[in-house]
Amino acid sequence: MSAAPSVAESGRELTFDVVVVGAGFAGMYMLHRLRGLGFSVRVYEQGSDVGGTWYWNRYPGARCDVESMQYSYSFSEELQQEWNWSERYAPQPEILKYARHVADRFGLRSDIVFNTRVECAAFDEDRKSWGVMTSDGKLVRAQFVVLATGCLSNARMPDIKGLAGFAGRVFHTGHWPHEGVDFTGQRVGVIGTGSSAIQSVPVIARQASHLFVFQRTPNFSIPARNAPLTAEEREAFRKNYAEIRRFAREDARNGIYAELPERGALEDGENARRARYEQRWASGGLTFMLAYNNLILDKAANDTAADFVREKIAEIVSDPMTARRLQPDNHPIGTKRICVDTDYYATFNRPNVTLVDIHGRGIDEILPHAVRAGSENYEIDALVLATGFDAMTGSVAKIDIRGRGGKTLNQKWAEGPKTYLGLMSEGFPNLFLITGPGSPSVLSNMIVSIEQHVDWIADCLSFMRRSALASIEASPDAEERWVAHVNEVAEMTLYPQANSWYMGANIPGKPRIFMPYIGGVGVYRRICNDVAAKGYEGFTMRARQAAQAVAMS
Ligand code: N01
């Protein structure tokens, strides 16, 4: 490893210490940290700008479901003190503006190559480095590769008969046109009722002449109670940022500063419980699930929260049949990512909005000017696919990654992703994942988890440089034990009861395995720190001279 940034050109091959794939929040911070430590880094980004998920997801109504004062970097005190979030939950354009600001403020762009995909990466066992091939045909060599590819960035096109023959425009929420779309006066169909649809439906309904929402499975949604942030509210955060960030990292299960519940739902009587849910409903947001400490562990406790939300839906939606159809009843509340909305349920009271229940049978086919479902034709001019992502593994799977012995990561993960700590996978030395499967990732405030992984990887690479080590790899035993632990903890909860994208259940043929680690970000951080403190226990590190293995396992 070179001590200072150095890019040696050897024939056609550029050489770096680290190649980072993706310039979203993870890739940007990884670049910043490693550059600060004197590593040479090259980032490849398939989009034309930074921002990752916030670059692609530009659908109407897109905004974060974690409060912006918390969904923001903590690594720079000046940045967190100076940036002014305008609303409790910033809209997508503002989050993208923030990402661009960070790129400019820290001079990141000079080391990012845009509009370029990493197509394949192959580990050379003799050189203990990766050969990385990019979509512009260049071959780059790097000792380390960091996949900062995002957990929800591989938009999933559904396999619906006739889709290709639709005569109007088709949009996917995860791949929205940069110039925006005006649906004024159009008949629009939205397929899907996950978070993306729940955010976009109220906005599209205000533009469209008629909106048909095709719902296969209803989801639980909590009002966001979004509002402009006052200067006093911002100041309250800024003054207390040190403690807020510490709490989010160390004490919170999900990386969000919030009051933690001490009681279980069944410890309160009916009236006290209702009052508590009412108070959570009124304050809004994801922390509804923190009303009690056992909502995700105990079905009877969970039922009390689910019943409360179902009652709210019935109160808001005027037509009883529509209300009934909107009430989820096939999964415990919170076991699919809970949605956060602004006026979602009330939108179904509009005369220009129709909920089409396709439960159990799906869509028959798409015709050139209509969606056909339940033998009825719903005439539309434009179609919005809010059909989600091949989550957590989809973006990694698109890259042809070959580890030791030429084995591909897709082969290794054919039965489901296997990692040690969600950071590395055995057989793939010097390849790191940021917020990979087996880490809290999507169950947490992503920026908290991103910063933790980036810092851990940066420390690890510094340690290796100091110790003149050339490679690091997860040991098979440590990985096996971690995978078993991730599953064991998931089985203690209600999560596996839902057919969710956490389980890979939204992708036909994808193995059903609970992918994120549910032990909580604080617990997980302590495990990772402990592993590092014990000399990277569970990893095997080797010096450049092959035989000198430093077995930490
Ligand atoms: O995707 P989803 P999403 N025919 O997979 C339906 C994050 N996010 O983009 O449930 C008909 O949740 C599918 O139906 P079913 C957040 O973590 C965050 O909405 O499979 N319907 C489902 O209703 C979220 O959880 C924010 O029966 C079909 C929908 O499409 C994650 O991204 C905002 C179908 C897909 O829902 C994914 O959310 C937005 C078919 N063939 C998203 N195929 C923030 O606020 C699929 N569906 C930060």
Side-chain angles (χ1 to χ4, degrees), residues 54 59 63-65 152 156 158 160 191-197 199 216-217 336-337 358 386-389 501 506:
W54 300 105
Y59 58 84
R63 56 178 78 241
C64 190
D65 58 4
L152 292 159
R156 174 178 167 260
I160 303 176
I191 297 179
T193 48
S195 295
S196 303
Q199 288 186 331
R216 196 163 65 180
T217 314
K336 283 184 162 193
R337 171 79 169 210
I358 55 167
T387 46
F389 303 87
W501 57 257
N506 64 329

Side-chain angles (χ1 to χ4, degrees), residues 174-205:
H175 241 282
W176 204 258
H178 287 204
E179 64 279 11
V181 183
D182 183 3
F183 291 112
T184 304
Q186 295 189 28
R187 296 163 303 176
V188 182
V190 171
I191 297 179
T193 48
S195 295
S196 303
I198 282 176
Q199 288 186 331
S200 56
V201 157
V203 184
I204 298 174

Side-chain angles (χ1 to χ4, degrees), residues 8 76 119 203 256 290 429 474-475 479 483 539:
S76 162
E119 302 283 6
V203 184
I256 299 175
L290 293 178
S475 77
E479 181 166 293
V483 169
F539 291 98

Side-chain angles (χ1 to χ4, degrees), residues 76-83 105:
S76 162
E77 181 60 12
E78 294 76 20
L79 175 66
Q80 69 179 7
Q81 291 297 332
E82 287 168 23
W83 181 265
R105 184 175 184 130

